[in-house]
Amino acid sequence: MKKLLAAMIVFTFFTFCAASCSHDHDPADGTSDESSTSDTASNASGETPQITADDAQRIAEEIFTQSADGAFILDDGVAYSGFGVGAASDFILVNVRKNGTSYKAIKYIGTDDEPELICSVDGCTHSDIRCTAYVTNAVLLVSPTDTDDNVGDVIYYIVDKTKIKTVAGHDVSLPKSGGNGALFEYNIKTGVRRCVTPSFPLTLEPPVMYCDGMLYFDEPYCVDVETGECMTGNIGGDVKTAGIYDGKVYLTVGNTLYCADRDLSNVKEVAVLQGCDMITSPTVYGGVLYFFTNCAQDTDENGYAVGGLRYDLAAYAINGTDAEVYIIAENVVTTHIGFYDGGLYFAEYDYHDYGYYGADKVTADTGGTLYRYDTVTMQTAAVFGDCGADIEDVIYVDGETVVFGGTYYAGINEGYAYSKDPDEMKFFRYDIFSGKLTIEYTVVI
Protein backbone atom coordinates (compact mmCIF):
# COMPACT_ATOMS: atom_id res chain seq x y z
CA MET A 1 0.00 0.00 0.00
CA LYS A 2 2.84 2.33 0.54
CA LYS A 3 3.02 4.62 -2.48
CA LEU A 4 6.39 6.13 -1.78
CA LEU A 5 4.70 8.67 0.43
CA ALA A 6 8.04 10.04 1.50
CA ALA A 7 8.66 11.14 -2.06
CA MET A 8 5.06 12.26 -2.39
CA ILE A 9 5.27 14.47 0.68
CA VAL A 10 8.40 16.10 -0.65
CA PHE A 11 6.65 16.45 -4.01
CA THR A 12 3.52 17.86 -2.41
CA PHE A 13 5.38 20.33 -0.21
CA PHE A 14 8.11 21.35 -2.57
CA THR A 15 7.14 20.92 -6.22
CA PHE A 16 6.26 23.65 -8.68
CA CYS A 17 2.64 24.67 -8.63
CA ALA A 18 1.70 26.72 -11.65
CA ALA A 19 -0.64 29.37 -10.30
CA SER A 20 -1.84 32.58 -11.82
CA CYS A 21 -2.79 36.11 -10.81
CA SER A 22 -4.26 39.02 -12.70
CA HIS A 23 -3.56 41.86 -10.27
CA ASP A 24 -0.26 43.62 -9.80
CA HIS A 25 1.77 42.56 -6.83
CA ASP A 26 1.25 43.99 -3.37
CA PRO A 27 3.28 47.10 -2.50
CA ALA A 28 5.02 44.95 0.11
CA ASP A 29 6.57 42.98 -2.75
CA GLY A 30 8.62 45.96 -3.87
CA THR A 31 6.22 48.04 -5.95
CA SER A 32 5.73 51.63 -4.86
CA ASP A 33 2.39 52.65 -3.43
CA GLU A 34 1.88 54.99 -6.40
CA SER A 35 2.20 52.29 -9.03
CA SER A 36 0.24 49.73 -7.07
CA THR A 37 -2.79 51.97 -6.62
CA SER A 38 -2.96 53.27 -10.18
CA ASP A 39 -1.83 50.29 -12.23
CA THR A 40 -2.59 47.20 -10.26
CA ALA A 41 -5.80 47.27 -8.25
CA SER A 42 -8.73 45.32 -9.66
CA ASN A 43 -11.80 47.43 -10.35
CA ALA A 44 -15.30 46.82 -9.00
CA SER A 45 -16.22 44.56 -11.91
CA GLY A 46 -13.26 42.28 -11.22
CA GLU A 47 -11.42 43.35 -14.37
CA THR A 48 -7.79 44.38 -14.17
CA PRO A 49 -6.81 47.77 -15.67
CA GLN A 50 -4.49 47.51 -18.64
CA ILE A 51 -0.79 48.12 -18.08
CA THR A 52 1.96 48.63 -20.60
CA ALA A 53 4.77 46.25 -21.45
CA ASP A 54 7.19 48.65 -19.74
CA ASP A 55 5.06 48.53 -16.59
CA ALA A 56 5.08 44.73 -16.66
CA GLN A 57 8.87 44.61 -17.01
CA ARG A 58 9.33 47.10 -14.16
CA ILE A 59 6.98 45.14 -11.92
CA ALA A 60 8.81 41.87 -12.58
CA GLU A 61 12.19 43.45 -11.84
CA GLU A 62 10.92 45.02 -8.61
CA ILE A 63 9.54 41.70 -7.40
CA PHE A 64 12.97 40.15 -7.85
CA THR A 65 14.89 42.99 -6.18
CA GLN A 66 16.53 42.04 -2.87
CA SER A 67 15.17 43.87 0.16
CA ALA A 68 15.80 43.68 3.90
CA ASP A 69 12.70 45.74 4.76
CA GLY A 70 10.48 43.91 7.22
CA ALA A 71 12.77 40.87 7.37
CA PHE A 72 11.60 38.16 9.75
CA ILE A 73 14.46 37.59 12.20
CA LEU A 74 13.81 35.12 14.99
CA ASP A 75 16.78 34.89 17.38
CA ASP A 76 15.69 32.35 19.99
CA GLY A 77 18.45 29.77 19.52
CA VAL A 78 16.00 27.14 18.28
CA ALA A 79 16.68 25.25 15.05
CA TYR A 80 13.34 25.09 13.20
CA SER A 81 12.68 22.61 10.42
CA GLY A 82 9.87 21.60 8.09
CA PHE A 83 9.68 18.30 9.95
CA GLY A 84 10.88 17.03 13.31
CA VAL A 85 12.90 19.16 15.67
CA GLY A 86 11.62 22.69 16.04
CA ALA A 87 8.68 22.08 13.70
CA ALA A 88 6.25 23.96 15.91
CA SER A 89 4.10 25.24 13.04
CA ASP A 90 0.37 25.00 13.55
CA PHE A 91 -0.21 24.61 9.83
CA ILE A 92 0.88 22.47 6.92
CA LEU A 93 1.40 23.51 3.32
CA VAL A 94 -0.76 21.88 0.67
CA ASN A 95 -1.69 22.12 -2.99
CA VAL A 96 -5.20 23.22 -3.86
CA ARG A 97 -6.35 22.44 -7.37
CA LYS A 98 -9.11 24.54 -8.91
CA ASN A 99 -10.18 24.53 -12.53
CA GLY A 100 -7.16 22.46 -13.49
CA THR A 101 -4.62 24.79 -11.85
CA SER A 102 -2.71 24.20 -8.60
CA TYR A 103 -2.10 26.84 -5.96
CA LYS A 104 -0.15 26.90 -2.71
CA ALA A 105 -2.31 27.08 0.40
CA ILE A 106 -2.03 26.64 4.15
CA LYS A 107 -4.16 24.24 6.18
CA TYR A 108 -4.34 24.95 9.90
CA ILE A 109 -4.01 21.85 12.06
CA GLY A 110 -6.98 20.98 14.22
CA THR A 111 -9.58 23.02 12.32
CA ASP A 112 -12.23 22.08 9.80
CA ASP A 113 -11.70 25.21 7.75
CA GLU A 114 -10.80 24.95 4.09
CA PRO A 115 -7.17 25.65 3.15
CA GLU A 116 -6.28 29.30 2.61
CA LEU A 117 -4.26 30.41 -0.38
CA ILE A 118 -1.05 32.19 0.57
CA CYS A 119 -2.39 35.35 -1.06
CA SER A 120 -4.34 37.99 0.84
CA VAL A 121 -5.06 40.49 -1.95
CA ASP A 122 -8.75 41.04 -2.73
CA GLY A 123 -9.64 40.43 -6.36
CA CYS A 124 -6.53 38.40 -7.15
CA THR A 125 -7.11 35.75 -9.77
CA HIS A 126 -3.70 34.15 -9.30
CA SER A 127 -2.37 34.19 -12.83
CA ASP A 128 1.31 35.14 -12.58
CA ILE A 129 4.21 36.04 -10.28
CA ARG A 130 2.43 39.13 -8.96
CA CYS A 131 0.46 36.74 -6.76
CA THR A 132 2.17 35.44 -3.62
CA ALA A 133 0.57 32.04 -4.17
CA TYR A 134 2.57 31.71 -7.38
CA VAL A 135 5.27 29.56 -5.79
CA THR A 136 7.84 27.37 -7.47
CA ASN A 137 9.12 25.53 -4.38
CA ALA A 138 7.62 26.15 -0.96
CA VAL A 139 10.47 25.10 1.21
CA LEU A 140 10.19 25.75 4.93
CA LEU A 141 7.70 26.77 7.57
CA VAL A 142 8.77 28.80 10.60
CA SER A 143 6.36 29.26 13.48
CA PRO A 144 7.88 30.32 16.82
CA THR A 145 6.24 28.97 19.94
CA ASP A 146 5.78 32.47 21.40
CA THR A 147 4.37 34.06 18.27
CA ASP A 148 2.64 37.41 18.65
CA ASP A 149 0.79 39.54 16.12
CA ASN A 150 3.95 41.47 15.26
CA VAL A 151 5.93 38.36 14.30
CA GLY A 152 3.70 35.95 12.44
CA ASP A 153 4.15 32.61 10.72
CA VAL A 154 6.57 32.57 7.81
CA ILE A 155 7.14 30.52 4.65
CA TYR A 156 10.38 30.55 2.68
CA TYR A 157 10.26 29.47 -0.93
CA ILE A 158 12.26 29.40 -4.14
CA VAL A 159 11.08 30.70 -7.51
CA ASP A 160 12.56 29.53 -10.79
CA LYS A 161 13.14 32.73 -12.77
CA THR A 162 13.31 30.80 -16.04
CA LYS A 163 9.58 30.03 -15.66
CA ILE A 164 8.58 33.70 -15.33
CA LYS A 165 7.58 34.46 -18.90
CA THR A 166 4.79 37.03 -18.68
CA VAL A 167 3.25 39.61 -16.37
CA ALA A 168 -0.28 40.78 -17.13
CA GLY A 169 0.06 39.14 -20.53
CA HIS A 170 3.27 41.00 -21.45
CA ASP A 171 6.55 39.19 -22.05
CA VAL A 172 9.18 39.96 -19.43
CA SER A 173 12.82 39.02 -18.99
CA LEU A 174 14.78 38.58 -15.78
CA PRO A 175 18.55 38.44 -15.32
CA LYS A 176 19.86 34.93 -14.68
CA SER A 177 23.36 35.83 -13.51
CA GLY A 178 24.28 34.26 -10.19
CA GLY A 179 21.68 31.53 -10.48
CA ASN A 180 18.28 30.92 -12.05
CA GLY A 181 16.50 30.94 -8.72
CA ALA A 182 15.31 33.56 -6.26
CA LEU A 183 14.61 33.06 -2.55
CA PHE A 184 11.51 34.70 -1.05
CA GLU A 185 10.03 35.15 2.41
CA TYR A 186 6.26 35.32 2.88
CA ASN A 187 4.64 36.35 6.17
CA ILE A 188 1.22 34.72 6.49
CA LYS A 189 -0.11 37.15 9.09
CA THR A 190 0.86 40.35 7.28
CA GLY A 191 0.61 39.11 3.70
CA VAL A 192 4.04 40.60 3.00
CA ARG A 193 6.38 38.97 0.52
CA ARG A 194 9.96 40.11 0.05
CA CYS A 195 12.89 38.91 -2.04
CA VAL A 196 15.67 37.60 0.20
CA THR A 197 18.07 37.13 -2.71
CA PRO A 198 17.49 37.20 -6.48
CA SER A 199 20.50 34.94 -7.16
CA PHE A 200 20.08 31.42 -5.91
CA PRO A 201 21.22 28.02 -7.24
CA LEU A 202 18.29 25.85 -8.26
CA THR A 203 20.42 22.73 -7.83
CA LEU A 204 19.93 22.86 -4.05
CA GLU A 205 17.35 20.74 -2.30
CA PRO A 206 14.80 22.56 -0.10
CA PRO A 207 16.34 24.03 3.07
CA VAL A 208 16.23 21.79 6.11
CA MET A 209 16.63 24.28 8.92
CA TYR A 210 16.15 27.86 10.11
CA CYS A 211 18.08 29.18 13.09
CA ASP A 212 18.66 32.75 14.26
CA GLY A 213 18.14 34.40 10.90
CA MET A 214 19.95 31.77 8.82
CA LEU A 215 18.50 29.22 6.40
CA TYR A 216 20.54 26.02 6.04
CA PHE A 217 20.50 23.68 3.06
CA ASP A 218 22.11 20.36 2.30
CA GLU A 219 25.29 20.48 0.18
CA PRO A 220 26.03 22.55 2.52
CA TYR A 221 24.76 26.05 1.88
CA CYS A 222 23.31 28.79 4.07
CA VAL A 223 21.66 32.17 3.53
CA ASP A 224 21.42 35.17 5.83
CA VAL A 225 17.72 35.98 5.39
CA GLU A 226 18.18 39.67 6.21
CA THR A 227 21.16 40.53 4.01
CA GLY A 228 20.72 37.82 1.37
CA GLU A 229 24.38 36.81 1.78
CA CYS A 230 25.00 33.21 0.69
CA MET A 231 27.71 30.98 2.18
CA THR A 232 28.89 27.47 1.45
CA GLY A 233 31.01 24.90 3.25
CA ASN A 234 33.98 23.05 1.81
CA ILE A 235 32.86 19.43 2.15
CA GLY A 236 32.75 16.88 -0.65
CA GLY A 237 30.11 14.21 -1.18
CA ASP A 238 26.40 14.00 -0.47
CA VAL A 239 26.18 16.39 2.49
CA LYS A 240 23.15 16.30 4.80
CA THR A 241 22.59 19.06 7.34
CA ALA A 242 21.60 17.49 10.65
CA GLY A 243 21.16 20.39 13.06
CA ILE A 244 22.76 22.81 15.48
CA TYR A 245 24.18 21.94 18.87
CA ASP A 246 26.33 24.03 21.21
CA GLY A 247 26.81 26.74 18.57
CA LYS A 248 27.98 24.37 15.83
CA VAL A 249 26.30 23.14 12.67
CA TYR A 250 26.45 19.33 12.32
CA LEU A 251 26.51 17.62 8.93
CA THR A 252 26.91 14.09 7.62
CA VAL A 253 28.50 12.61 4.53
CA GLY A 254 27.93 8.87 4.32
CA ASN A 255 28.80 7.53 7.77
CA THR A 256 31.04 10.48 8.71
CA LEU A 257 29.88 13.25 11.06
CA TYR A 258 31.25 16.79 10.66
CA CYS A 259 30.77 20.09 12.46
CA ALA A 260 31.28 23.69 11.29
CA ASP A 261 30.84 27.24 12.50
CA ARG A 262 27.46 28.85 11.95
CA ASP A 263 28.65 30.39 8.66
CA LEU A 264 29.82 26.91 7.52
CA SER A 265 33.49 27.80 7.93
CA ASN A 266 36.06 25.76 9.90
CA VAL A 267 34.71 22.35 8.92
CA LYS A 268 36.03 19.55 11.15
CA GLU A 269 35.51 15.80 11.23
CA VAL A 270 33.83 14.65 14.44
CA ALA A 271 33.57 10.88 14.02
CA VAL A 272 33.31 8.02 11.55
CA LEU A 273 30.28 6.10 12.79
CA GLN A 274 30.80 2.37 13.12
CA GLY A 275 28.47 -0.26 11.70
CA CYS A 276 26.42 2.05 9.46
CA ASP A 277 25.96 1.18 5.83
CA MET A 278 23.77 4.26 5.22
CA ILE A 279 22.86 7.52 6.95
CA THR A 280 19.70 9.28 5.83
CA SER A 281 17.46 11.95 7.41
CA PRO A 282 19.98 12.87 10.15
CA THR A 283 18.71 15.10 12.96
CA VAL A 284 20.51 16.54 15.97
CA TYR A 285 18.35 16.68 19.09
CA GLY A 286 19.64 17.30 22.61
CA GLY A 287 23.27 16.57 21.76
CA VAL A 288 22.41 13.29 20.01
CA LEU A 289 22.49 12.54 16.28
CA TYR A 290 19.47 10.49 15.19
CA PHE A 291 19.39 8.92 11.74
CA PHE A 292 18.23 5.96 9.64
CA THR A 293 20.55 3.16 8.60
CA ASN A 294 20.45 -0.40 7.23
CA CYS A 295 17.80 -0.07 4.52
CA ALA A 296 15.81 -3.27 3.83
CA GLN A 297 12.76 -4.52 1.94
CA ASP A 298 11.03 -7.89 1.74
CA THR A 299 10.70 -9.83 -1.51
CA ASP A 300 8.39 -12.65 -2.53
CA GLU A 301 9.36 -16.03 -3.99
CA ASN A 302 9.80 -14.39 -7.39
CA GLY A 303 12.09 -11.68 -6.09
CA TYR A 304 9.53 -8.89 -6.34
CA ALA A 305 9.43 -6.22 -3.62
CA VAL A 306 6.74 -6.66 -0.94
CA GLY A 307 5.79 -3.80 1.37
CA GLY A 308 7.69 -0.56 1.82
CA LEU A 309 11.27 0.32 2.59
CA ARG A 310 12.29 0.21 6.22
CA TYR A 311 15.32 1.20 8.25
CA ASP A 312 16.90 0.94 11.65
CA LEU A 313 16.49 4.10 13.72
CA ALA A 314 19.88 4.82 15.27
CA ALA A 315 21.48 7.31 17.64
CA TYR A 316 24.98 8.62 18.31
CA ALA A 317 25.96 10.85 21.24
CA ILE A 318 27.92 13.77 19.81
CA ASN A 319 29.94 14.20 23.00
CA GLY A 320 30.66 10.49 23.24
CA THR A 321 34.17 9.15 23.63
CA ASP A 322 33.89 6.74 20.70
CA ALA A 323 31.88 6.29 17.51
CA GLU A 324 29.51 3.65 18.87
CA VAL A 325 26.04 3.69 17.36
CA TYR A 326 22.96 2.73 19.38
CA ILE A 327 20.02 1.12 17.54
CA ILE A 328 16.75 2.47 18.97
CA ALA A 329 14.36 0.46 16.81
CA GLU A 330 14.58 -1.89 13.86
CA ASN A 331 12.39 -1.91 10.75
CA VAL A 332 11.13 1.67 11.06
CA VAL A 333 8.88 2.72 8.17
CA THR A 334 8.38 6.44 8.81
CA THR A 335 10.89 8.52 6.88
CA HIS A 336 10.16 11.60 9.01
CA ILE A 337 9.96 11.07 12.76
CA GLY A 338 8.33 13.47 15.21
CA PHE A 339 10.06 15.07 18.21
CA TYR A 340 8.14 16.39 21.19
CA ASP A 341 8.90 16.90 24.87
CA GLY A 342 11.84 14.52 24.99
CA GLY A 343 10.23 11.85 22.83
CA LEU A 344 10.77 10.51 19.32
CA TYR A 345 7.65 9.34 17.49
CA PHE A 346 7.75 6.79 14.67
CA ALA A 347 6.05 3.72 13.17
CA GLU A 348 7.59 0.28 12.72
CA TYR A 349 7.03 -2.19 9.90
CA ASP A 350 3.96 -4.33 10.67
CA TYR A 351 2.56 -5.68 7.41
CA HIS A 352 -1.11 -6.68 7.22
CA ASP A 353 -3.13 -8.03 4.30
CA TYR A 354 -6.81 -7.11 4.61
CA GLY A 355 -7.95 -8.81 1.43
CA TYR A 356 -9.71 -6.99 -1.37
CA TYR A 357 -11.83 -3.86 -1.54
CA GLY A 358 -13.41 -4.20 -4.95
CA ALA A 359 -10.49 -4.74 -7.32
CA ASP A 360 -7.98 -3.24 -4.88
CA LYS A 361 -5.93 -5.32 -2.49
CA VAL A 362 -5.93 -3.60 0.90
CA THR A 363 -2.65 -3.80 2.83
CA ALA A 364 -0.96 -1.84 5.59
CA ASP A 365 2.76 -1.48 6.24
CA THR A 366 2.58 -0.14 9.81
CA GLY A 367 -0.65 -1.53 11.21
CA GLY A 368 -1.55 2.00 12.30
CA THR A 369 0.61 1.83 15.44
CA LEU A 370 2.64 4.81 16.70
CA TYR A 371 5.64 4.37 19.02
CA ARG A 372 7.40 6.81 21.33
CA TYR A 373 11.04 6.53 22.30
CA ASP A 374 11.86 8.35 25.55
CA THR A 375 15.25 10.01 25.10
CA VAL A 376 15.79 10.13 28.88
CA THR A 377 14.83 6.60 29.94
CA MET A 378 15.76 5.14 26.52
CA GLN A 379 12.55 3.06 26.58
CA THR A 380 10.07 2.59 23.72
CA ALA A 381 6.32 2.14 24.12
CA ALA A 382 3.26 2.19 21.86
CA VAL A 383 1.23 5.41 22.01
CA PHE A 384 -1.73 3.89 20.19
CA GLY A 385 -2.37 0.90 17.95
CA ASP A 386 -4.34 0.09 14.79
CA CYS A 387 -5.65 3.62 14.31
CA GLY A 388 -6.98 2.74 10.85
CA ALA A 389 -4.34 4.39 8.68
CA ASP A 390 -0.71 3.74 7.82
CA ILE A 391 1.58 6.17 9.65
CA GLU A 392 4.14 6.92 7.00
CA ASP A 393 5.43 10.42 7.82
CA VAL A 394 4.89 12.19 11.13
CA ILE A 395 4.09 15.81 10.28
CA TYR A 396 3.16 17.18 13.70
CA VAL A 397 2.97 15.82 17.23
CA ASP A 398 2.19 17.22 20.67
CA GLY A 399 0.80 15.76 23.87
CA GLU A 400 -2.69 15.36 22.47
CA THR A 401 -2.56 15.25 18.68
CA VAL A 402 -0.61 13.53 15.93
CA VAL A 403 -0.82 14.63 12.30
CA PHE A 404 0.68 12.27 9.74
CA GLY A 405 0.67 11.46 6.06
CA GLY A 406 -0.51 8.03 5.04
CA THR A 407 -3.16 5.84 3.48
CA TYR A 408 -6.53 4.92 4.96
CA TYR A 409 -7.16 1.20 5.22
CA ALA A 410 -10.00 0.96 7.75
CA GLY A 411 -12.53 3.07 5.89
CA ILE A 412 -14.21 0.29 3.96
CA ASN A 413 -17.04 -0.06 6.49
CA GLU A 414 -16.94 3.52 7.82
CA GLY A 415 -17.84 5.61 4.81
CA TYR A 416 -14.32 6.26 3.57
CA ALA A 417 -13.16 4.56 0.40
CA TYR A 418 -9.80 2.86 0.47
CA SER A 419 -7.53 4.72 -1.93
CA LYS A 420 -4.44 3.34 -3.59
CA ASP A 421 -4.26 6.21 -6.08
CA PRO A 422 -0.56 7.17 -6.39
CA ASP A 423 -1.64 10.74 -7.16
CA GLU A 424 -3.46 11.10 -3.86
CA MET A 425 -2.17 11.46 -0.32
CA LYS A 426 -4.06 12.06 2.89
CA PHE A 427 -3.06 13.94 6.02
CA PHE A 428 -4.66 12.42 9.11
CA ARG A 429 -5.26 13.87 12.56
CA TYR A 430 -5.45 11.45 15.49
CA ASP A 431 -6.65 12.51 18.93
CA ILE A 432 -4.63 10.43 21.39
CA PHE A 433 -7.16 10.67 24.23
CA SER A 434 -10.41 10.09 22.33
CA GLY A 435 -8.96 7.72 19.74
CA LYS A 436 -10.70 9.67 16.97
CA LEU A 437 -9.10 9.58 13.53
CA THR A 438 -10.08 12.25 11.01
CA ILE A 439 -8.87 13.06 7.53
CA GLU A 440 -7.22 16.44 7.94
CA TYR A 441 -6.79 17.02 4.24
CA THR A 442 -6.47 15.14 0.97
CA VAL A 443 -3.82 16.30 -1.46
CA VAL A 444 -4.09 15.54 -5.14
CA ILE A 445 -0.70 15.80 -6.80
Side-chain angles (χ1 to χ4, degrees), residues 197-413:
T197 174
S199 299
F200 191 85
L202 290 178
T203 56
L204 295 179
E205 294 296 322
V208 295
M209 184 173 60
Y210 171 97
C211 186
D212 292 348
M214 301 287 286
L215 279 181
Y216 292 89
F217 300 74
D218 291 339
E219 195 162 305
Y221 196 86
C222 67
V223 180
D224 185 316
V225 297
E226 182 174 21
T227 67
E229 181 183 3
C230 302
M231 292 149 279
T232 186
N234 185 22
I235 308 176
D238 185 13
V239 180
K240 303 296 183 185
T241 302
I244 292 179
Y245 173 68
D246 198 22
K248 297 288 186 180
V249 181
Y250 283 85
L251 316 105
T252 64
V253 180
N255 65 341
T256 303
L257 177 66
Y258 296 89
C259 72
D261 292 342
R262 293 287 301 278
D263 61 358
L264 300 181
S265 64
N266 299 320
V267 176
K268 297 179 180 178
E269 180 179 304
V270 176
V272 177
L273 305 186
Q274 305 299 322
C276 300
D277 61 2
M278 176 188 298
I279 293 180
T280 184
S281 301
T283 302
V284 171
Y285 180 66
V288 178
L289 174 72
Y290 297 95
F291 59 94
F292 293 109
T293 186
N294 303 329
C295 178
Q297 186 173 34
D298 286 339
T299 57
D300 60 18
E301 62 275 10
N302 298 315
Y304 293 105
V306 177
L309 294 175
R310 57 193 188 275
Y311 305 83
D312 291 344
L313 176 58
Y316 169 74
I318 292 175
N319 292 332
T321 57
D322 53 36
E324 182 179 356
V325 170
Y326 173 69
I327 301 297
I328 294 172
E330 298 178 344
N331 296 321
V332 174
V333 176
T334 38
T335 54
H336 290 99
I337 54 179
F339 293 80
Y340 176 75
D341 195 24
L344 278 65
Y345 293 79
F346 57 90
E348 295 181 352
Y349 184 73
D350 186 15
Y351 183 80
H352 292 271
D353 185 340
Y354 291 94
Y356 282 86
Y357 173 63
D360 296 329
K361 189 173 185 179
V362 181
T363 62
D365 284 346
T366 69
T369 300
L370 184 73
Y371 293 91
R372 180 184 186 273
Y373 170 78
D374 191 307
T375 59
V376 177
T377 66
M378 301 177 68
Q379 300 297 311
T380 299
V383 179
F384 55 78
D386 194 19
C387 71
D390 259 351
I391 303 169
E392 311 208 15
D393 286 277
V394 179
I395 309 301
Y396 172 90
V397 62
D398 59 25
E400 302 177 354
T401 303
V402 179
V403 176
F404 60 90
T407 308
Y408 200 73
Y409 62 76
I412 297 175
N413 299 316

Side-chain angles (χ1 to χ4, degrees), residues 18-30:
S20 358
C21 175
S22 71
H23 70 83
D24 243 71
H25 65 291
D26 198 304
D29 296 340

